[in-house]
Coordinates of all heavy atoms in Angstrom, one line a residue:
Chain A
S156 N -4.8 0.6 7.9 CA -5.8 1.5 7.1 C -6.4 2.4 8.1 O -6.7 2.1 9.3 CB -6.8 0.6 6.5 OG -7.9 1.3 6.1
S158 N -9.3 3.2 8.3 CA -10.6 2.7 8.7 C -10.5 1.6 9.8 O -11.5 1.1 10.3 CB -11.4 2.2 7.5 OG -10.6 1.2 6.8
T159 N -9.3 1.2 10.1 CA -9.1 0.2 11.2 C -9.1 0.9 12.5 O -8.5 1.9 12.7 CB -7.8 -0.5 11.0 OG1 -7.7 -1.1 9.7 CG2 -7.6 -1.5 12.1
R168 N -9.1 -11.6 21.6 CA -10.4 -12.2 21.2 C -10.5 -13.7 21.5 O -9.5 -14.4 21.4 CB -10.7 -11.9 19.7 CG -11.2 -10.5 19.5 CD -11.4 -10.3 18.1 NE -10.1 -10.1 17.4 CZ -10.1 -9.7 16.1 NH1 -11.1 -9.5 15.4 NH2 -8.9 -9.6 15.5
N189 N -3.8 -7.6 24.0 CA -3.3 -8.7 23.2 C -1.9 -8.3 22.6 O -1.5 -8.7 21.6 CB -4.2 -9.0 22.0 CG -3.9 -10.3 21.4 OD1 -3.3 -11.2 22.1 ND2 -4.3 -10.5 20.2
V195 N 0.5 -3.7 9.4 CA 0.1 -4.8 8.5 C 1.3 -5.2 7.6 O 2.1 -4.3 7.2 CB -1.1 -4.5 7.7 CG1 -2.3 -4.3 8.5 CG2 -0.8 -3.2 6.8
Chain C
dA7 P -9.5 -23.2 18.4 OP1 -9.4 -23.6 19.8 OP2 -10.8 -22.8 17.8 O5' -8.4 -22.1 18.1 C5' -7.0 -22.4 18.3 C4' -6.2 -21.3 17.7 O4' -6.1 -21.3 16.3 C3' -6.6 -19.9 18.1 O3' -5.5 -19.2 18.6 C2' -7.2 -19.3 16.9 C1' -6.4 -20.0 15.8 N9 -7.0 -20.2 14.5 C8 -8.3 -20.6 14.3 N7 -8.6 -20.7 13.0 C5 -7.5 -20.3 12.3 C6 -7.1 -20.1 11.0 N6 -8.0 -20.4 10.0 N1 -5.9 -19.7 10.7 C2 -5.1 -19.4 11.7 N3 -5.2 -19.5 13.0 C4 -6.5 -20.0 13.3
dA8 P -5.7 -17.7 19.3 OP1 -4.7 -17.6 20.4 OP2 -7.1 -17.5 19.5 O5' -5.1 -16.8 18.1 C5' -3.8 -17.0 17.6 C4' -3.6 -16.1 16.4 O4' -4.3 -16.5 15.2 C3' -4.0 -14.6 16.7 O3' -3.0 -13.8 16.3 C2' -5.3 -14.4 15.8 C1' -5.0 -15.4 14.6 N9 -6.1 -15.9 14.0 C8 -7.3 -16.4 14.5 N7 -8.2 -16.8 13.6 C5 -7.6 -16.6 12.4 C6 -8.0 -16.9 11.1 N6 -9.1 -17.4 10.8 N1 -7.1 -16.6 10.1 C2 -5.9 -16.1 10.4 N3 -5.4 -15.8 11.7 C4 -6.3 -16.1 12.6
dT9 P -3.0 -12.2 16.6 OP1 -1.6 -11.8 16.8 OP2 -4.0 -12.0 17.7 O5' -3.6 -11.6 15.3 C5' -2.9 -11.8 14.1 C4' -3.8 -11.4 12.9 O4' -4.9 -12.3 12.8 C3' -4.4 -10.0 13.1 O3' -3.7 -9.1 12.2 C2' -5.9 -10.2 12.7 C1' -5.9 -11.6 12.1 N1 -7.1 -12.3 12.2 C2 -7.6 -12.9 11.0 O2 -7.1 -12.7 9.9 N3 -8.8 -13.5 11.1 C4 -9.5 -13.8 12.3 O4 -10.5 -14.4 12.3 C5 -8.9 -13.2 13.5 C7 -9.6 -13.4 14.8 C6 -7.8 -12.5 13.4
dG10 P -3.4 -7.7 12.5 OP1 -2.0 -7.4 12.1 OP2 -3.9 -7.4 13.9 O5' -4.4 -6.9 11.6 C5' -4.1 -6.9 10.2 C4' -5.3 -6.3 9.4 O4' -6.4 -7.2 9.7 C3' -5.8 -5.0 9.9 O3' -6.5 -4.3 8.9 C2' -6.8 -5.3 11.0 C1' -7.5 -6.5 10.3 N9 -8.2 -7.4 11.1 C8 -8.1 -7.6 12.5 N7 -8.8 -8.6 12.9 C5 -9.5 -9.0 11.8 C6 -10.5 -10.0 11.7 O6 -11.0 -10.8 12.6 N1 -11.0 -10.2 10.4 C2 -10.5 -9.4 9.3 N2 -11.0 -9.7 8.1 N3 -9.6 -8.5 9.4 C4 -9.1 -8.3 10.7
dA11 P -5.8 -3.2 8.0 OP1 -4.6 -3.7 7.4 OP2 -5.7 -2.0 8.9 O5' -6.9 -2.9 7.0 C5' -7.1 -3.9 5.9 C4' -8.5 -3.9 5.5 O4' -9.3 -4.7 6.5 C3' -9.2 -2.5 5.5 O3' -10.0 -2.5 4.3 C2' -10.2 -2.5 6.7 C1' -10.4 -4.0 6.9 N9 -10.7 -4.4 8.3 C8 -10.0 -4.0 9.4 N7 -10.4 -4.6 10.5 C5 -11.4 -5.5 10.1 C6 -12.2 -6.4 10.8 N6 -12.1 -6.7 12.1 N1 -13.0 -7.2 10.0 C2 -13.1 -7.0 8.7 N3 -12.4 -6.1 7.9 C4 -11.5 -5.4 8.7
dA12 P -10.6 -1.1 3.7 OP1 -10.5 -1.2 2.3 OP2 -10.0 0.0 4.5 O5' -12.1 -1.3 4.2 C5' -12.9 -2.3 3.7 C4' -14.1 -2.5 4.5 O4' -13.9 -3.0 5.8 C3' -14.9 -1.1 4.7 O3' -16.2 -1.2 4.2 C2' -14.8 -0.9 6.2 C1' -14.8 -2.3 6.7 N9 -14.2 -2.5 8.0 C8 -13.3 -1.8 8.6 N7 -13.0 -2.1 9.9 C5 -13.9 -3.1 10.1 C6 -14.2 -3.9 11.2 N6 -13.6 -3.8 12.4 N1 -15.2 -4.9 11.1 C2 -15.8 -5.0 10.0 N3 -15.6 -4.3 8.8 C4 -14.7 -3.4 9.0

Side-chain angles (χ1 to χ4, degrees):
Chain A
S156 163
S158 56
T159 301
R168 279 177 287 185
N189 196 23
V195 295

